[in-house]
Amino acid sequence: MSWETKNYSILLVEDNKLNQTVVKFTLRRYGYLIDVANNGIEAIEMFKQGDYDFILMDIMMPEMDGLDATRAIRNLENGQKIPIIALTADIMIANEEKCLRNGMNGHIAKPFEIDNLFKVLKSLDL
């Protein structure tokens, strides 16, 4: 099944309401199911309760940032298996490398574009 037609269940971790709306609207057009966490703390709790195909994780958030949340999820049962994709406005190579060093599997720049997500999903064989 293609990543463009699969009914993914996605945890979006994003504190900005406008960004949440844009990403949710775009992904729902493809039939994806989206749950939203407003920060890293909520993301950890939702991951424990949910069954997601992957996580889109903002980096800069209040309460707990995306890097700390990723490390915490990686320490949970089943946390090593879930693909976590950074979603950030910082597109510098150094930031992408920092995301990968902290346990993320990929990196997408904001503003969110679905084609960039498809490229990352393809690279992860999802």
Side-chain angles (χ1 to χ4, degrees), residues 42-98:
E42 287 182 18
I44 294 165
E45 291 308 310
M46 291 177 76
F47 175 75
K48 289 177 185 176
Q49 304 295 321
D51 183 23
Y52 300 103
D53 294 300
F54 63 90
I55 299 172
L56 288 175
M57 179 83 72
D58 186 19
I59 301 300
M60 302 291 289
M61 296 179 291
E63 315 256 341
M64 178 185 278
D65 70 29
L67 299 176
D68 288 341
T70 296
R71 287 191 298 272
I73 288 169
R74 293 292 184 224
N75 287 324
L76 297 173
E77 185 176 344
N78 295 325
Q80 290 294 321
K81 298 176 184 175
I82 184 83
I84 302 176
I85 301 166
L87 183 61
T88 179
D90 185 351
I91 59 171
M92 293 178 52
I93 296 295
N95 188 56
E96 183 174 359
E97 291 170 354
K98 182 168 62 172

Side-chain angles (χ1 to χ4, degrees), residues 108-120:
I108 299 173
K110 292 179 187 175
F112 178 79
E113 293 183 18
I114 194 71
D115 288 340
N116 292 334
L117 175 61
F118 290 156
K119 287 176 191 173
V120 171

Side-chain angles (χ1 to χ4, degrees), residues 9-37:
S9 178
I10 303 165
L11 177 57
L12 170 64
V13 187
E14 170 65 65
D15 63 314
N16 182 286
K17 299 296 183 198
L18 178 60
N19 289 340
Q20 289 177 2
T21 300
V22 169
V23 174
K24 284 191 306 187
F25 176 79
T26 303
L27 294 176
R28 285 184 177 152
R29 288 180 46 218
Y30 287 85
Y32 299 162
L33 305 171
I34 314 297
D35 286 337
V36 178

